[in-house]
Amino acid sequence: MQPQRYSLQREKIYAVVRESVEHPTAEMVFAWLKPEIPRLSLGTVYRNLHRMAEEGRLQELPGPIVRFDGDTTPHAHFTCLTCGRVSDAIGSYDPGLDAAACKKGFRAIRHTLMFYGTCPQCAKVGKKDDC
Amino acid sequence: MQPQRYSLQREKIYAVVRESVEHPTAEMVFAWLKPEIPRLSLGTVYRNLHRMAEEGRLQELPGPIVRFDGDTTPHAHFTCLTCGRVSDAIGSYDPGLDAAACKKGFRAIRHTLMFYGTCPQCAKVGKKDDC
DNA sequence: CATATAACTAGAAATCATTACTGAATAGAT
DNA sequence: ATCTATTCAGTAATGATTTCTAGTTATATG
């Protein structure tokens, strides 16, 4: 890993992801910080998010659009098929699963568990597709 | 769902995914079928794969590049971090998890479980990054 | 403090997977 | 055989992400 220098952008990006509960995308982080740092560039957001994920400072959630989680402890996630929001899933994550998946020469070191369904907000509004 | 007409392309695409164990991407399916159907178009592959996934005839594996699985029974998958191959993961899939994740208003209807690590082929070659 | 230098940035262009569009081809009904 | 809606090939458009380049800036050192 490269030597590291302080960067205001990086720390602001980290803070935003860390404090958010929304598992934001790079675009979301950019939109939130742009007013505060008007010269901020989207490329900078992508670069730093990805870098902090590599360093283990953030968690990267795979998907068609990558999302980031400031909580790096392994846990399950929930994607609402109606509104697209990503939340933490309660319980349901078994850290022992990696060991269980090590069979026939496979060596699992981590896993992602993503549930799909309806979030509380969307369940309330019933058939409506807004939230 | 729309009325359905027979299409040679669709059936060939289905057969290729069904018979393959590689959880192919759209590009892979296209490359395999192109010699056999020279006029085949990549858009056709995407359209039919996605359509069959909606119909429940194929399973779509989320990720930065979408992969397809001819086995529609719920099961876990394994991504090799070295070679990128996607395989079926043995055991480790608990269908009861969806019910367990239904808490605080969340309604889970399905989930994906993806392990990451080293596949048997890559484990053998040790440090080499080819397979 | 001054300055050197490697790390960092903004902005824009390039890339890659995927989707949308358009006119031609074709399955299947009459 | 003819008609018509579905499907197709080919191409252009899109959207997320990466890369590139020249300019900034943190920080080590004199």
Side-chain angles (χ1 to χ4, degrees):
Chain A
M1 235 170 264
Q2 298 263 91
Q4 179 103 249
R5 285 198 332 202
Y6 173 84
S7 142
L8 173 70
Q9 286 88 333
R10 183 155 53 239
E11 293 317 311
K12 291 278 190 189
I13 289 165
Y14 176 72
V16 152
V17 177
R18 185 78 251 223
E19 287 156 24
S20 162
V21 76
E22 302 192 44
H23 306 80
T25 65
E27 290 276 4
M28 289 162 78
V29 172
F30 177 69
W32 291 339
L33 285 176
K34 188 67 175 172
E36 187 177 342
I37 314 173
R39 296 207 49 198
L40 182 66
S41 167
L42 185 56
T44 299
V45 175
Y46 272 104
R47 182 163 24 79
N48 282 298
L49 284 172
H50 190 254
R51 176 179 182 156
M52 288 188 284
E54 279 189 340
E55 291 165 356
R57 221 177 147 189
L58 292 179
Q59 197 178 351
E60 209 172 317
L61 309 185
I65 303 174
V66 177
R67 288 174 167 268
F68 294 86
D69 191 342
D71 177 2
T72 58
T73 62
H75 58 283
H77 293 95
F78 187 101
T79 297
C80 177
L81 295 170
T82 303
C83 68
R85 262 195 283 254
V86 176
S87 331
D88 288 332
I90 335 85
S92 311
Y93 191 93
D94 176 7
L97 230 44
D98 291 332
C102 291
K103 292 176 182 165
K104 297 190 185 172
F106 287 96
R107 293 183 201 156
I109 57 175
R110 60 193 170 81
H111 69 268
T112 62
L113 176 57
M114 178 67 80
F115 291 93
Y116 297 89
T118 314
C119 73
Q121 291 92 332
C122 290
K124 270 185 206 134
V125 294
K127 306 289 180 211
K128 288 184 199 169
D129 49 35
D130 59 297
C131 265
Chain B
M1 236 172 264
Q2 297 263 93
Q4 178 101 252
R5 284 196 330 199
Y6 173 83
S7 142
L8 173 70
Q9 285 89 333
R10 182 156 54 238
E11 292 318 309
K12 290 278 189 186
I13 290 165
Y14 177 72
V16 152
V17 177
R18 186 78 251 220
E19 287 156 23
S20 161
V21 76
E22 302 192 45
H23 305 81
T25 64
E27 290 276 3
M28 289 163 77
V29 172
F30 177 69
W32 291 338
L33 285 177
K34 187 68 175 172
E36 189 177 340
I37 313 173
R39 297 206 48 197
L40 183 66
S41 167
L42 185 55
T44 300
V45 175
Y46 272 104
R47 180 161 27 79
N48 282 298
L49 283 173
H50 191 253
R51 176 178 182 157
M52 287 188 284
E54 278 188 340
E55 291 165 357
R57 220 177 147 191
L58 291 179
Q59 197 178 350
E60 208 171 319
L61 309 185
I65 304 175
V66 177
R67 288 173 168 268
F68 294 87
D69 192 341
D71 178 2
T72 57
T73 62
H75 58 283
H77 292 95
F78 187 101
T79 298
C80 178
L81 296 170
T82 303
C83 68
R85 262 194 282 254
V86 176
S87 330
D88 288 333
I90 336 85
S92 310
Y93 191 92
D94 177 6
L97 230 46
D98 291 333
C102 291
K103 291 176 184 165
K104 296 189 187 173
F106 287 97
R107 293 180 199 159
I109 56 173
R110 58 191 171 83
H111 70 269
T112 63
L113 176 58
M114 178 67 80
F115 291 93
Y116 297 89
T118 315
C119 72
Q121 290 94 330
C122 290
K124 272 187 203 130
V125 295
K127 306 289 181 213
K128 289 183 197 167
D129 49 32
D130 58 296
C131 264

